Amino acid sequence: MKKDAKISNAVIKRLPRYRRYLKELQKKGVDKISSNEFSSLIGYTASQIRQDLNNFGGFGQQGYGYNVEGLYNEISAILGLDKEYKMVIVGAGNLGQAIANHTYYYKAGFVVCGIFDINPRLIGLKINDIEVMDYETIVDYVEQNQIDIGIICTTKDSAQEVADKLCFAGVRGLWNFAPIDLEVPEYIAVENVHLSDSLHSLAYHMNRNYEEKEKAAQK
Ligand code: NAI
């Protein structure tokens, strides 16, 4: 990767998609791919692909294209997916339980080590073999187990206090599902996930497609 390069968030957000397609190509036994072939597969223009990957030093060779396995490994390393991350879920309600049951994250190197809640009726339960522990003990647990990521699935009112505690205990990233903008020290990475944003964006595109179809029909 180019030293000191500031990569735009839009590029970073496209990398997982490149990686997913490269994994599929690997499964099919494809060793190399040109940017034009990759373009028709993934739906970005060849020049977009070249520009994106040039941010990290290229990886392509003139007249050869991209080495599928090499590029997959490079993108994995750029995203930090060549490591394993330990996570805790805070809030063992509907969403916390759904995430704990979503075993994909184990395969991908994101390991849910523990779940925490304040509700005595939930403490001691096992969700997907992971014990729900008392939130009172979270700081010690995070410190002792060197947890990297806190997943916030509590009610909105508790989310900031939970974030403060997780940061104090030493996590480096927060995956926040609560509908609140968290205030955290600048060295902590926060990724907010809002399913409703995605649904609203779907509504926008549906309406735009409909309007375009109507306009075309009137011509
Ligand atoms: P829920 O009410 O089923 O679960 C919340 C859990 O958090 C409860 O078990 C409660 O005891 C626990 N809790 C509250 N304060 C706590 C604290 N200080 N420490 C530890 N545990 C604590 O709610 P649900 O449906 O699971 O939603 C959880 C959060 O996720 C809510 O803030 C909701 O608005 C949000 N949400 C976000 C979505 C998204 O797309 N980002 C989608 C669905 C829910």
Side-chain angles (χ1 to χ4, degrees), residues 91 93-95 117-118 122 135 153-156 158 177 179 193 195:
N94 295 312
L95 190 61
D117 207 291
I118 46 169
L122 294 172
Y135 177 66
C153 298
T154 62
T155 44
K156 183 183 171 187
S158 306
F177 286 83
V193 185
L195 296 180

Side-chain angles (χ1 to χ4, degrees), residues 37-54:
E37 285 167 331
F38 203 21
S39 160
S40 51
L41 193 70
I42 200 166
Y44 303 146
T45 64
S47 103
Q48 169 96 81
I49 293 172
R50 278 193 295 268
Q51 256 179 38
D52 282 355
L53 300 180
N54 275 342

Side-chain angles (χ1 to χ4, degrees), residues 105-123:
Y105 300 106
Y106 299 81
K107 283 192 248 153
F110 293 87
V111 182
V112 178
C113 300
I115 309 174
F116 291 85
D117 207 291
I118 46 169
N119 183 342
R121 277 181 296 166
L122 294 172
I123 295 166

Side-chain angles (χ1 to χ4, degrees), residues 9 31 35 38 44 73 95 102 106 112 121 127 144 174 186 195-196 208:
N9 213 23
D31 296 332
S35 41
F38 203 21
Y44 303 146
N73 291 338
L95 190 61
H102 191 349
Y106 299 81
V112 178
R121 277 181 296 166
I127 300 160
Q144 280 162 18
L174 295 174
E186 62 182 22
L195 296 180
S196 56
R208 207 181 60 168

Side-chain angles (χ1 to χ4, degrees), residues 35 48 58 100 109 131 142 151 181 203:
S35 41
Q48 169 96 81
E131 187 172 345
V142 167
I151 306 177
D181 290 327

